[in-house]
Amino acid sequence: MSQGLSPIAFLTRTRRPGRIGVTDILSWAWLILGTIAVLIPVVWAGLSSFKPAAEITRFPPTLLPRAAVQQTVPGFDAPLSLWTVDVDGQPREMAMVRRIGLKAQMVDPSNPGPPVSVDVKSMSPVQRLTIATENYTDPLTRFDFLTFLKNSVFVTFVATLLTLVVNALAAFALSKYRFRGEKAIFVLIISTLMIPLTVVMVPAYLVVVGVGLVDSLWGIIIPTIASPTGVFLLRQYMLTIPDELIEAARVDAASEFRIFWRIVLPLTAPALAVLAIFSVLWRWNDFLWPLIVLSSRENFTLQVGLNAFQGEFSVQWNYILAMTFLSLAPVTVVFLFLQKYITTGIAGTGMK
Amino acid sequence: MSTPKATDFGGRALDFVMGIVEAPINGFERLMGRKRMPYLFLAPNLILFGIFTFLPIAIAVGYAFTGGTGLFVSERPFVGFDNFRQLLQCEDYLRPGSCRESLFWTAVWNTLWFVGFNVAATLLVALVTALILNRAMAARGFFRAMFFYPVLLSPVVIGLIWKWFLDRNGLLNAFLQMLGVPPEIFLLDVGWSRFFVVVVSVWFHMGFYTLILLAGLQAIPKDLYEAASIDAASPRRTLFRITLPLLGPNLLVVLILLMIRSVQIFDEAWVLTNGGGPGTANSFIVQYIYQMAFGSDLRLFGLASAASVLMGLVLLALTLIQLRLGRKMES
């Protein structure tokens, strides 16, 4: 944004300075409502993931995670819940001993005497902001969340690394050499862009079974490495690297692989970065293919694990939401830092 | 050529590994000559493509003509066009119940309805957003990022977040109650669940199409608008006479791309609707294929492949149209 603009002028700036038209107001309304529509489901699910199990399905829901306060009172074994009650027109905090019909027996928590009988209609529970960290810690210890996380990190990391190497090698061959069959190979690779996984998933599964990779993390890594999008993106970028550089290196007696590794690859860094970001997102978020290939629980990735969880614990939303948020966090952090590169990368290549 | 000095441990480790990798590759070069090197560089990619892309494509068609429950083609009896006959035999195509494979036709119709509504809604929302973001506005980058954020999330996460939002005790019902509307179990109602599958899909993907359209809008020469403003053209006239005609090719590409991807709806709808519920209200084609092949112990690979081939033909036609348009746009 331009410098020397006062904050007020910046915020009220319009297309024609000094005039705010109907279209300006409508535009702002659209953008703000859109932002709210994007944020509300995510933020509310996030806030809910901190709610204690008892609080999570309360209707109407509260925005912030709150829970009834319990207190140990001398003379009672179990902790008692605190309530605000009206005693002779004065609001007081008291602990409930038991409830019989429309009457409740209450004691003063700081000075427990004989219980007083109070009308339940005049009571309301004392609630405080409570962050249920157990929603996040329980899945780590009690369920297989750590295994899923480990599998997802492994798949994402290894697949991305291999994707970069294998496709950069192919792109190097297709951009810096003239050889028999060059055109045919390029067309063959690019034509596979037209065939989505959904069409070949049944025979692809057969092949994975045939090579013995079924129910193994390698069964999701290896078939996804050779990517036509990757080859295309890297080749287009490598074409812009001047051939004189390569000729000069050959004069210096560098081997072809050394030229690739020491000259071409470093110069392709921006395109490699774009492909790396995409590859990480593809692999981290992948669902259908791992769902088909993986069958035993210890091999599940986060996405397959999450899906399995919600089938098993359909009532335990507190755990499901917490785990959802743990799997969403890395993507959000990556996006916050690389937002500009991701959006320009996508606008430039038309892929996601 | 100078080698960068590897001062850090990572750099030295990498150099060590590359030294080991390099030796046999350089050996190959000395033995076969420089001219053969591109084949070596292409080998890993082509081997992987061959095994995991071309081989499956070849098998896919063969599979569609076999029956039985065996996995390997050699174990499967040849049945000719039986699978296709089973899928396509129908008394009245508008009533899936009258078809031999009623689940398939339910999925076909559900997918067609979804594609229609989803394409229209996404295109409209993305176009309006792109037009607004294309105006010189404050905080444009912020809003662009905001709308784009859901595109990066995983479909499973999106399905779960929306499931929670639409829950019986969810925020939407709380909001409706404030307005005095009785709560509704949205995902158990046929009409509402279909409506929200489209809403979630628009919410999820519109940022991507907005970005593509925005790139198209920014490529329109600025002097056209200057000329229009000298001629005192109204904003509406400028929109319909300059912006939309010049954006036309981009709009068409987005439209086809949206269709191709909408036909393949699976992940987010699967999680959101517990696998196509209520009943079969949100059962789509990919889901039908998945369920025939992997969903039960029946393992009807032949039928699933036949459905895949039919879907593949539709997608191929759409892709060819897109490529044609893309070439037209370039010229």
Side-chain angles (χ1 to χ4, degrees):
Chain A
M1 298 292 164
S2 63
Q3 283 181 326
L5 208 63
S6 81
I8 291 163
F10 170 77
L11 285 174
T12 57
R13 192 166 61 159
T14 57
R15 213 147 52 114
R16 262 158 291 164
R19 261 185 65 193
I20 297 178
V22 184
T23 36
D24 290 305
I25 295 168
L26 286 177
S27 301
W28 277 100
W30 177 273
L31 292 180
I32 290 166
L33 283 178
T35 307
I36 291 172
V38 166
L39 283 181
I40 277 193
V42 180
V43 169
W44 189 59
L47 286 172
S48 300
S49 74
F50 289 106
K51 286 182 184 172
E55 196 61 20
I56 196 148
T57 49
R58 169 199 284 280
F59 189 84
T62 52
L63 193 62
L64 292 171
R66 280 142 56 95
V69 178
Q70 305 238 313
Q71 195 173 347
T72 20
V73 179
F76 295 93
D77 295 334
L80 304 177
S81 58
L82 283 185
W83 299 73
T84 315
V85 292
D86 259 4
V87 182
D88 313 324
Q90 294 276 348
R92 278 177 63 190
E93 253 181 42
M94 296 189 80
M96 183 166 75
V97 180
R98 70 173 82 85
R99 186 174 161 174
I100 308 147
L102 292 173
K103 292 282 174 192
Q105 296 202 308
M106 313 288 264
V107 288
D108 189 342
S110 50
N111 179 25
V116 202
S117 190
V118 177
D119 194 351
V120 280
K121 274 186 198 150
S122 71
M123 314 179 353
S124 59
V126 176
Q127 290 195 318
R128 267 182 217 133
L129 199 65
T130 321
I131 289 176
T133 46
E134 68 268 18
N135 291 345
Y136 283 84
T137 51
D138 281 2
L140 293 181
T141 49
R142 273 172 49 201
F143 313 126
D144 309 313
F145 186 80
L146 276 183
T147 316
F148 302 158
L149 185 69
K150 199 186 75 205
N151 290 340
S152 262
V153 169
F154 177 77
V155 167
T156 306
F157 182 77
V158 174
T160 299
L161 198 70
L162 290 174
T163 299
L164 292 181
V165 172
V166 167
N167 293 314
L169 273 170
F172 177 54
L174 289 170
S175 62
K176 293 294 163 208
Y177 295 92
R178 312 236 122 259
F179 54 95
R180 272 175 73 110
E182 183 192 342
K183 268 236 170 74
I185 291 175
F186 183 63
V187 170
L188 204 65
I189 290 178
I190 295 306
S191 66
T192 58
L193 271 174
M194 286 197 281
I195 295 114
L197 166 80
T198 42
V199 176
V200 290
M201 65 185 185
V202 179
Y205 172 77
L206 160 85
V207 171
V208 166
V209 173
V211 295
L213 289 177
V214 74
D215 195 21
S216 130
L217 292 179
W218 292 104
I220 21 184
I221 293 173
I222 294 175
T224 58
I225 291 172
S227 143
T229 337
V231 173
F232 184 69
L233 180 72
L234 296 176
R235 176 184 173 269
Q236 296 307 94
Y237 198 87
M238 284 179 185
L239 285 174
T240 65
I241 297 173
D243 289 340
E244 287 78 11
L245 266 178
I246 291 164
E247 285 308 320
R250 282 189 185 138
V251 171
D252 287 347
S255 71
E256 297 301 305
F257 185 70
R258 189 159 274 260
I259 291 172
F260 165 73
W261 174 242
R262 288 291 190 201
I263 298 176
V264 174
L265 212 54
L267 288 173
T268 319
L272 287 171
V274 171
L275 183 61
I277 293 171
F278 284 129
S279 172
V280 166
L281 289 170
W282 291 333
R283 297 291 84 83
W284 185 263
N285 292 338
D286 212 1
F287 176 59
L288 180 55
W289 184 239
L291 183 70
I292 292 171
V293 173
L294 304 175
S295 53
S296 54
R297 211 180 163 81
E298 69 263 23
N299 286 330
F300 280 2
T301 58
L302 261 184
Q303 309 302 336
V304 182
L306 265 178
N307 180 57
F309 258 133
Q310 63 125 2
E312 291 160 32
F313 304 107
S314 52
V315 206
Q316 287 177 294
W317 268 108
N318 53 330
Y319 290 138
I320 295 169
L321 288 172
M323 285 182 279
T324 302
F325 264 74
L326 282 178
S327 89
L328 173 125
V331 175
T332 308
V333 171
V334 167
F335 180 64
L336 285 178
F337 284 103
L338 300 177
Q339 180 261 114
K340 218 176 128 192
Y341 303 96
I342 294 174
T343 45
T344 44
I346 285 180
T349 58
M351 63 177 188
K352 60 170 174 178
Chain B
M1 173 204 160
S2 70
T3 316
K5 242 183 225 155
T7 43
D8 54 314
F9 174 74
R12 252 181 295 168
L14 196 60
D15 272 356
F16 179 73
V17 172
M18 288 319 290
I20 298 174
V21 174
E22 210 174 350
I25 298 174
N26 289 346
F28 181 90
E29 189 181 340
R30 269 192 297 277
L31 210 67
M32 310 295 282
R34 189 192 285 163
K35 287 248 184 280
R36 300 241 164 76
M37 288 309 282
Y39 299 107
L40 184 69
F41 293 149
L42 274 168
N45 199 286
L46 288 182
I47 291 170
L48 289 173
F49 262 130
I51 297 177
F52 295 106
T53 306
F54 295 121
L55 190 61
I57 294 169
I59 299 172
V61 182
Y63 245 148
F65 295 97
T66 59
T69 51
L71 181 60
F72 295 96
V73 182
S74 54
E75 307 164 359
R76 303 176 60 84
F78 180 79
V79 294
F81 280 95
D82 272 8
N83 289 321
F84 291 97
R85 233 170 270 142
Q86 185 173 347
L87 286 177
L88 297 176
Q89 219 174 59
C90 217
E91 275 170 38
D92 177 2
Y93 289 99
L94 292 173
R95 282 186 303 117
S98 73
C99 300
R100 210 170 134 198
E101 198 54 31
S102 62
L103 261 179
F104 176 70
W105 282 97
T106 308
V108 168
W109 283 113
N110 284 344
T111 310
L112 283 177
W113 280 113
F114 172 78
V115 171
F117 283 113
N118 186 50
V119 168
T122 310
L123 198 63
L124 188 71
V125 174
L127 179 64
V128 171
T129 312
L131 285 171
I132 289 174
L133 286 176
N134 192 41
R135 294 153 53 102
M137 284 192 98
R140 186 163 73 177
F142 167 78
F143 284 118
R144 196 181 60 179
M146 247 13 277
F147 283 105
F148 186 75
Y149 173 60
V151 173
L152 301 178
L153 300 182
S154 103
V156 177
V157 160
I158 296 211
L160 288 175
I161 286 179
W162 273 89
K163 213 168 162 179
W164 177 237
F165 183 71
L166 298 174
D167 193 77
R168 171 76 177 73
N169 297 322
L171 199 60
L172 188 61
N173 271 323
F175 180 69
L176 288 179
Q177 201 197 36
M178 256 167 48
L179 300 178
V181 183
E184 176 85 52
I185 309 180
F186 296 105
L187 294 174
L188 289 186
D189 178 271
V190 171
W192 279 120
S193 65
R194 284 179 172 156
F195 173 75
F196 276 108
V197 167
V198 174
V199 168
V200 171
S201 177
V202 174
W203 185 90
F204 188 0
H205 300 290
M206 61 83 70
F208 174 73
Y209 299 100
T210 301
L211 212 58
I212 303 280
L213 290 176
L214 194 58
L217 284 173
Q218 285 173 349
I220 297 176
K222 293 282 170 289
D223 40 346
L224 284 176
Y225 291 106
E226 278 161 29
S229 80
I230 289 168
D231 290 346
S234 69
R236 177 192 298 238
R237 208 177 153 79
T238 315
L239 175 70
F240 283 103
R241 287 296 164 85
I242 299 177
T243 311
L244 289 184
L246 284 173
L247 194 64
N250 289 65
L251 275 172
L252 266 177
V253 167
V254 165
L255 179 80
I256 305 284
L257 212 58
L258 244 170
M259 276 157 98
I260 294 173
R261 290 187 179 167
S262 302
V263 172
Q264 301 176 58
I265 171 97
F266 177 78
D267 300 6
E268 64 265 31
W270 173 269
V271 176
L272 186 70
T273 63
N274 278 334
T280 53
N282 289 291
S283 160
F284 301 107
I285 299 218
V286 176
Q287 193 195 323
Y288 172 81
I289 297 170
Y290 173 81
Q291 280 181 332
M292 287 304 117
F294 310 107
S296 66
D297 293 331
L298 283 173
R299 304 242 143 185
L300 300 169
F301 291 121
L303 205 60
S305 287
S308 294
V309 168
L310 291 177
M311 185 176 79
L313 289 176
V314 173
L315 291 174
L316 189 71
L318 287 172
T319 312
L320 290 177
I321 296 172
Q322 190 213 350
L323 288 179
R324 246 238 158 102
L325 288 172
R327 216 169 296 141
K328 243 187 209 159
M329 267 169 68
E330 271 167 29
S331 60

